[in-house]
Amino acid sequence: MKNDKPYLELLDVAKHFGGVQALVGATLSVPKGSVHALVGENGAGKSTLGRIVAGALVRDRGRMLLAGREVSFRSPREALEHGVAAIAQESSIVPHLTVAQNVLLGTEPSGAGFVRRRKLEREYAALAESAGFDLPGRMPAGRLRTSEQQKVEILRALSREAQLIVMDEPTAALGAQETRHLHEIVRRLGARGTTILLISHFLAEVLELADTVTVLRDGKIVKTGPTADETEASLVEAMLGAPLTSTFPPKRLPEADAPVVLSVRDLRAPGVDGVSLELRAGEILGLAGLVGAGRTELARALFGAAPVESGEVVLAGDRRLGRSPRRSLRSGLAMIPESRKDDGLLFLRSSIENATLSRLGRLSTAGIVRRRRERRAGRDVLERCGVRGASFSAPVSALSGGNQQKVLLARMLLCEPTVVIADEPTRGVDIGAKRAIYDFLAALAADGLGVLLISSELEEVIGLAHRVLVMRLGRLVDELEGDALTEGAILASAFGDRPGSAAA
C-alpha cells in the first residue's frame, strides 16, 4: 500500500571514517509502503547510509526525518523503539542460544521474571512458517550454516513488526527457493504499508522488487528514479561511470595434457558421501548444487578444516592431505572460505596483518615477526590485488565488503598455492568488484593453477568454469561441460530430475 507522502527523509547526510569520506551530502526521500533500492560499487556508501538509518552508525552532519519527525538514532535499539529494524549483511547470532531464542532476542515472552519457553517456541514456529523457512527452533544457532544464519537475521527483523526495514544484502547467502520466499515476504510487507530500504548487488532482484532505485558512487548519490525506467546495463553504467563491456573474462582452455594437480578418491566426511574428482592445472572446476548439498563441507574436508572419515586426497604427491589447514597450505592448497566474517578475517587487525597471517613463519626470525618485512610483503600483495579504501594499517573492518574479499585473495596469493578452493568468492560484493575477482581467478588458471570454484550463482559458475560437477545430498550426481553446461541442466541435476544423472 504505497503512499506518495515521504516516510523516510535524509537531508544532506554525511559520514567519514578517518580520512575516508564514506557518504557526502546524501539527500533521499522514501514514500511509505514502497521498496526503495540502493545500489553501487563496494565502498560507494550504500551500507553506510543503511546503517545510519538503522542506528548502527551516527551521522556526522545532516538531518533524518521519520514520518515527518526529526530523529537521531544512536543505537539499533533506539531505532527499534521508533519502528526501524535491520537485516544485517553479516550475521550477529548468539551461538549458544537456540534459533528461536536468537530470533526473539530482547522480545521474549515472559512472566514473573522468567521466559515462557513454550510460548516463545510457538511464536517462533508461526513466524518461521509464515516466512517459509524450515529452521528447527530448538537447534543451537552456532551449528547453523552461513545461509541459515542469514535466515535468522531475516526472521529477527520480521518479528519486530517494524514500519521500516533496512535489508542489507538479504539474499546474498540464500538459495533460489529461499530467495523466492523472501521476495514474497517483501511484497507482502509493502502491501501492508511497511517501508523497505533494500541494499543489493543483485540488479535483477532490484529491478524485480523495487519501486525506486538510487545509485551511489564514491559516497555521492548520482541517480534516483523509478526502476521501471532502468535496465541492468543502465544501472551498471551509473554505478561505474562507464558501461561494462562484459561480465566474465574469456575462457582459456587448459592444455589437453595438463597434469592432475588435485585427486580425490572416495572421500567421506561429515556431509560428504564418497566423492571422487580430479582437477587439472589451468582448469577452473565448478561445484554447483542447492544449499545444503555438501559443497562447503567438501571444501572444508579437502582443506583439513573438517575431519575426514575415509578416502584419499592427493596434491603434489602428498597423500595425507586433509589432515589440517596448516599441512594443506604447506602442500600448496589454499582456500577462500565461504564466510569472511566467521572463517576468514580478523576484523580488528589491519589489512596487512590479515594478508600476511598465513605466512608469518617466512616473515619471522627466531619466532619474532619482522614488522618491516611484514609491512613490505603485505603492502605489495594488497596493491597487486587492487585493495582500495582505508589505509592498509587501519582495521580491515573499515573496508567495504569487496575490498575485504580482496584481502582474502591477497592472503591466498601470498601462500603461492598450486590449487585454490574459492567458496562463494563474490558473495556480498558489487558488480565491479565481481569482475575484478573473476579476472583474478581466470589469471590464476592461466598461470597453471587449479581452481575449485563453489558458487550459488549459476551464471557465475557457467561463466567461469571449464567443467561443472553437481552435488546433491553429499554426492556428486552429474558432470557438465561444453554445450551441456546450462542453468537448466544444473538445476535438473541438483533437484534429481535430469535423465542420466546419478540422482535421477
Side-chain angles (χ1 to χ4, degrees):
M1 189 172 62
K2 289 180 277 293
N3 189 323
D4 290 337
K5 189 174 182 181
Y7 185 72
L8 170 68
E9 293 178 89
L10 298 174
L11 304 171
D12 196 33
V13 171
K15 181 67 180 178
H16 74 280
F17 299 98
V20 178
Q21 194 70 39
L23 205 58
V24 184
T27 296
L28 194 65
S29 178
V30 182
K32 182 174 178 59
S34 68
V35 179
H36 192 114
L38 302 178
V39 300
E41 288 195 88
N42 282 107
K46 314 179 299 297
S47 292
T48 299
L49 193 154
R51 294 177 71 193
I52 288 172
V53 172
L57 290 175
V58 178
R59 61 188 183 272
D60 294 337
R61 74 158 195 266
R63 301 168 63 210
M64 184 165 79
L65 281 71
L66 203 61
R69 297 179 56 188
E70 186 163 351
V71 292
S72 183
F73 304 143
R74 298 196 171 274
S75 70
R77 178 174 289 277
E78 192 175 342
L80 271 174
E81 292 170 356
H82 286 77
V84 180
I87 298 172
Q89 183 176 352
E90 303 288 354
S91 66
S92 55
I93 63 166
V94 183
H96 66 275
L97 295 182
T98 67
V99 170
Q101 289 170 329
N102 268 275
V103 167
L104 297 171
L105 192 63
T107 62
E108 303 94 334
S110 60
F114 295 94
V115 174
R116 298 171 63 184
R117 287 187 174 272
R118 288 184 180 178
K119 187 174 182 181
L120 181 146
E121 290 173 358
R122 285 198 303 270
E123 289 183 8
Y124 167 78
L127 181 66
E129 183 179 1
S130 69
F133 291 162
D134 184 19
L135 281 181
R138 295 183 179 181
M139 176 186 287
R143 290 169 51 190
L144 297 177
R145 298 186 184 93
T146 302
S147 59
E148 293 169 331
Q149 291 177 12
Q150 188 67 12
K151 294 176 190 177
V152 172
E153 292 288 340
I154 293 167
L155 290 172
R156 184 185 289 161
L158 295 178
S159 73
R160 269 49 179 182
E161 298 184 351
Q163 293 302 304
L164 169 62
I165 301 179
V166 180
M167 298 186 173
D168 193 352
E169 301 293 348
T171 61
L174 301 184
Q177 186 174 357
E178 291 89 353
T179 295
R180 284 194 295 271
H181 281 309
L182 182 61
H183 286 183
E184 292 169 5
I185 290 168
V186 170
R187 294 189 186 97
R188 288 204 304 267
L189 289 170
R192 293 205 310 248
T194 304
T195 307
I196 306 293
L197 193 62
L198 174 68
I199 302 167
S200 178
H201 288 122
F202 300 111
L203 300 185
E205 176 175 74
V206 167
L207 294 173
E208 179 184 346
L209 287 179
D211 302 298
T212 308
V213 58
T214 291
V215 182
L216 291 96
R217 186 169 71 237
D218 298 328
K220 300 176 183 177
I221 292 177
V222 297
K223 187 178 187 180
T224 296
T227 51
D229 297 340
E230 301 291 345
T231 64
E232 288 193 37
S234 68
L235 291 177
V236 169
E237 186 166 350
M239 288 162 56
L240 303 179
L244 186 67
T245 54
S246 63
T247 304
F248 298 100
K251 287 187 184 181
R252 178 177 170 180
L253 295 175
E255 299 293 335
D257 59 348
V260 173
V261 290
L262 177 67
S263 175
V264 182
R265 291 285 176 269
D266 198 28
L267 185 70
R268 297 180 187 276
V272 181
D273 186 8
V275 167
S276 297
L277 62 86
E278 286 187 343
L279 174 64
R280 296 185 177 274
E283 181 182 30
I284 299 179
L285 178 61
L287 199 57
L290 304 177
V291 172
R295 296 167 301 161
T296 293
E297 288 81 357
L298 174 59
R300 290 176 58 83
L302 292 176
F303 189 58
V308 172
E309 296 165 2
S310 65
E312 183 178 72
V313 182
V314 183
L315 183 144
D318 188 348
R319 294 182 178 273
R320 294 197 297 164
L321 199 67
R323 294 294 181 88
S324 71
R326 184 188 297 272
R327 185 182 185 91
S328 297
L329 287 169
R330 281 204 304 262
S331 299
L333 175 62
M335 179 173 169
I336 302 167
E338 179 186 23
S339 172
R340 58 179 173 263
K341 178 184 178 183
D342 296 331
D343 302 314
L345 297 172
L346 303 177
F347 274 73
L348 298 181
R349 295 289 185 173
S350 70
S351 298
I352 287 177
E353 288 172 304
N354 272 279
T356 59
L357 191 61
S358 297
R359 276 295 174 259
L360 291 181
R362 292 187 180 183
L363 302 172
S364 304
T365 302
I368 299 174
V369 177
R370 298 304 176 184
R371 294 300 178 189
R372 184 176 298 178
R373 192 186 306 173
E374 180 191 32
R375 286 193 296 270
R376 187 165 56 245
R379 188 174 291 111
D380 177 61
V381 74
L382 289 168
E383 288 174 352
R384 286 169 62 192
C385 291
V387 178
R388 297 179 301 168
S391 163
F392 293 161
S393 299
V396 75
S397 58
L399 295 177
S400 66
N403 282 298
Q404 289 176 1
Q405 202 70 5
K406 290 178 183 177
V407 173
L408 286 178
L409 296 178
R411 181 196 297 166
M412 179 270 297
L413 196 61
L414 203 58
C415 293
E416 300 176 351
T418 305
V419 172
V420 173
I421 300 173
D423 191 357
E424 304 288 358
T426 64
R427 174 169 289 167
V429 306
D430 69 86
I431 194 165
K434 277 187 176 182
R435 179 55 200 258
I437 293 172
Y438 295 159
D439 289 339
F440 185 90
L441 296 175
L444 292 178
D447 288 341
L449 277 71
V451 179
L452 183 62
L453 170 67
I454 301 170
S455 177
S456 298
E457 294 187 47
L458 297 186
E459 182 185 28
E460 185 169 277
V461 173
I462 294 169
L464 288 174
H466 301 105
R467 277 189 304 137
V468 172
L469 303 177
V470 183
M471 286 194 77
R472 183 171 182 266
L473 300 176
R475 298 180 179 180
L476 294 181
V477 296
D478 210 352
E479 178 177 338
L480 301 165
E481 59 183 320
D483 293 338
L485 183 50
T486 65
E487 288 194 23
I490 292 174
L491 286 173
S493 293
F495 281 107
D497 299 330
R498 177 173 147 83
S501 75

